[in-house]
Amino acid sequence: MRARASSVFFSALCALGLAGTASAADPMNLMLNWTPTADHAPIYFAKAKGWYTEAGIDLSIEAGKGSALSAQRVGSGGANLGIADLPTAIQAVGKGADLKAIMVIYANSPQGFYWLKSSGINGPKDFTGRKIGNPPGDAARLMWPAFAKKTGIDPAGVNFVNLSPQAKVGALKSKSVDIISDFYNEHDLKVREFGPDLGFVAWRTVGVNVYGNSLFVNGAYLKANPERVRKFAAVTQRAYAACVKDFAPCLDALTASVSGLTPDNQRDQWERIKQLMRDDTTTGVALGAFDSTRVKTDYELVKEMIGIEKAFEPATLFTNEYLDKSVRMSN
């Protein structure tokens, strides 16, 4: 059945004029926001199935070290495409980065803060004077002023401690930090680790529901290679739709390419990710589609609470034109 599905998909690409041959595949590099996990599985699935090659793309995937670095690399032309948090990309464009978003992955903010109730923290109002552990390039640190102002906290009232993503849980457990930031993807892992002592607040529940990770392309690269970008978007959008329907082969492709991942944890992550992918636009317009009003709202939030060095028109930040409107996120 999977071989048949691949054949049908390839035939559809041919009908759209998107298919190429392996010998004619053009190189394209994609920089992730972090090390690969479940939210990147559809890309590894499409690559393993040969869908990118069939579309004439020789895709290389590079692990990232935060949305800020990814936005910077793509915006300067150091990478053709990348994944970055939308507000981080807004700030980057304000600094001169040449970026265009072509598909949203997280239609809802995945950001959250975790703490131990036994530490005396009951919610954001108790964050003042505490240590928050996260990586320096993390989108949560860049967007912290917006969260702080929304919840009535002095943005300068906390101390940030540099941690790698892998060290967050251990640091919270050892109490070397009081709070950690993390994506909702990893929620189940923390529930198992800390049980009823775990405290949590999702950013989207306190009025900071900005668009999360999105696929960006370098503007100059897009202008020079619009059809190549169109092919990439077609394959990637359908890969995410396929993984929503059946994650098993996507998980197989991810774990075959990336060592050190626990399958059960990745399956749990994907169930959370599907919640984050779903909103009225991705279910009603197209999987991966942006809503222009929401993009403008995110822009205004960043401008008001963080600042944008050079203002620009929010509508220029994204396009939905490379998405197939018949491919929708399931309700």
Side-chain angles (χ1 to χ4, degrees), residues 87-161:
T88 304
I90 289 172
Q91 292 175 277
V93 172
K95 294 177 181 178
D98 189 9
L99 294 171
K100 178 81 77 171
I102 59 170
M103 177 179 166
V104 65
I105 299 171
Y106 293 146
N108 299 287
S109 174
Q111 296 288 357
F113 283 125
Y114 293 87
W115 63 88
L116 300 182
K117 295 175 185 176
S118 57
S119 68
I121 299 174
N122 296 306
K125 296 291 186 182
D126 299 323
F127 284 9
T128 301
R130 302 284 188 159
K131 295 178 181 178
I132 300 178
N134 72 355
D138 190 72
R141 190 178 298 202
L142 295 174
M143 285 296 292
W144 162 253
F147 178 92
K149 291 175 183 178
K150 280 285 187 181
T151 53
I153 308 169
D154 177 3
V158 302
N159 299 307
F160 281 99
V161 176

Side-chain angles (χ1 to χ4, degrees), residues 113-124 126-127 130-131 168-181 189-201:
F113 283 125
Y114 293 87
W115 63 88
L116 300 182
K117 295 175 185 176
S118 57
S119 68
I121 299 174
N122 296 306
D126 299 323
F127 284 9
R130 302 284 188 159
K131 295 178 181 178
K168 290 180 181 180
V169 170
L172 187 61
K173 190 172 184 178
S174 68
K175 299 184 179 180
S176 59
V177 298
D178 304 297
I179 305 150
I180 58 173
S181 70
L189 185 65
K190 295 175 187 62
V191 170
R192 287 194 294 270
E193 181 68 35
F194 299 108
D197 194 29
L198 183 69
F200 168 68
V201 61

